[in-house]
Amino acid sequence: MKPAKIKQGRFQHFAAVDWSGAAGERHHGIAVALCGPGKAVPELVRPGHRWSRPEVLDWLLNDLPDSTIVGFDMGISLAHADAGAFFPGWAESPATARELWALIDRVCADDPHLSASSLVDHPEAARHFRRHGGRVGDLFGGGRGRFRVTERAQEAMGCRPYSNFNLVGAAQVGKSSLTGMRLLHRLDGRLPVWPIDPLPETGSVVCEIYTTIAARAAGRRTGASKIRDHGDLAAALAALGSTPAAGSGAITDHAADALITAAWLRIAAHDRALWNPMGLTAEIAQTEGWTFGAA
């Protein structure tokens, strides 16, 4: 895979989206944070607003500042390299991540709010997921489930990722990943998604992030990465070279995750090594994608 090149000053804005796969139209679990270059404190976009998933899509397409790196806290694809397919044994299993997004959006066309219930209830796809009610598909893979190459890289860093085929538990990211793939499909090439698309020399780009990586860079431990107090938020932002956020008392962990990750992107986005991680081949880029910062 041709090495990605990145110049200082390539990005002028840094956005992080704490995403949600929960049922319903509007979600406490979605938060969007944005900052510019320098040390100015990241700010929440539309603070106090309960976002819907389609509203985030609209913001990306119509209100995103120029030259923004946008990190989404979700998986942009499913495991493929371990079995040579997303859904082994299913004739309709897609060959690439983009085809996977299209399949999910097609199967879930009647699901409102970019939800993805129809996919996990599909008789073939369901065989690969762990769902509520003790329902474990016969092809789930056992244990903690199947993992992408980038998630194994996260483990090597000391993180504890979850399989995107696991839809059970408070820390699972499977639901948010599946709904996020519907959003990515609807970008329809209007915003590149790295590394499925190569890093463009100019303009904005969307990538996958894992907020724990940003929290660790801010001095938090993996098992205590969530922040729910403005004092802890101020300390984390200071560790990332940012002006502390104003305020006191409680803050939602979703908002804190977005703010910290936006600040981390500001210092990480121009690190060439993070755009060229070991293990990211051309095939992995097209099938599984990668988590920015997992290096």
Side-chain angles (χ1 to χ4, degrees), residues 1-201:
M1 185 173 175
K2 187 177 179 180
K5 297 180 180 180
I6 186 76
K7 297 179 180 179
Q8 288 297 320
R10 161 67 179 80
F11 295 109
Q12 292 299 305
H13 299 93
F14 311 86
V17 181
D18 202 43
W19 190 241
S20 174
E25 180 180 4
R26 299 186 177 277
H27 306 281
H28 289 296
I30 295 179
V32 183
L34 180 70
C35 62
K39 296 185 177 182
V41 63
E43 296 183 351
L44 293 175
V45 178
R46 303 180 196 173
H49 179 66
R50 287 185 64 182
W51 290 84
S52 70
R53 287 184 285 263
E55 282 180 332
V56 177
L57 174 61
D58 181 74
W59 179 76
L60 287 173
L61 294 176
N62 297 303
D63 297 321
L64 188 69
D66 292 337
S67 299
T68 301
I69 176 174
V70 186
F72 268 84
D73 185 26
M74 65 185 186
I76 61 173
S77 190
L78 298 173
H80 185 283
D82 63 334
F86 296 119
F87 303 107
W90 185 13
E92 293 188 40
S93 183
T96 67
R98 283 199 177 276
E99 292 172 21
L100 174 64
W101 303 345
L103 170 71
I104 295 171
D105 200 53
R106 182 173 69 251
V107 170
C108 302
D110 293 330
D111 293 359
H113 320 307
L114 295 182
S115 58
S117 300
S118 293
L119 180 80
V120 298
D121 290 334
H122 187 284
E124 287 292 338
R127 300 178 64 191
H128 301 267
F129 290 99
R130 174 187 282 152
R131 298 181 288 164
H132 287 285
R135 296 172 295 171
V136 181
D138 62 306
L139 297 177
F140 175 70
R144 297 170 58 215
R146 297 170 57 199
F147 287 89
R148 296 180 295 159
V149 174
T150 188
E151 289 151 359
R152 294 302 185 190
Q154 293 170 21
E155 284 187 320
M157 297 172 66
C159 299
R160 185 172 173 80
Y162 281 73
S163 169
N164 290 333
F165 287 102
N166 174 44
L167 310 178
V168 179
Q172 60 83 20
V173 294
K175 293 177 183 176
S176 60
S177 297
L178 296 174
T179 60
M181 290 179 218
R182 293 195 67 188
L183 176 144
L184 295 177
H185 175 68
R186 295 187 178 210
L187 289 177
D188 195 28
R190 287 172 283 182
L191 272 176
V193 180
W194 179 86
I196 292 159
D197 300 308
L199 177 66
E201 292 187 5

Side-chain angles (χ1 to χ4, degrees), residues 210-263:
Y210 183 24
T211 57
T212 297
I213 293 177
R216 284 165 55 92
R220 306 289 295 187
R221 292 184 293 106
T222 296
S225 63
K226 295 300 181 184
I227 286 177
R228 298 178 177 86
D229 177 82
H230 269 92
D232 290 339
L233 174 63
L237 289 174
L240 295 170
S242 171
T243 302
S248 60
I251 185 171
T252 70
D253 59 318
H254 307 293
D257 279 348
L259 291 164
I260 290 168
T261 305

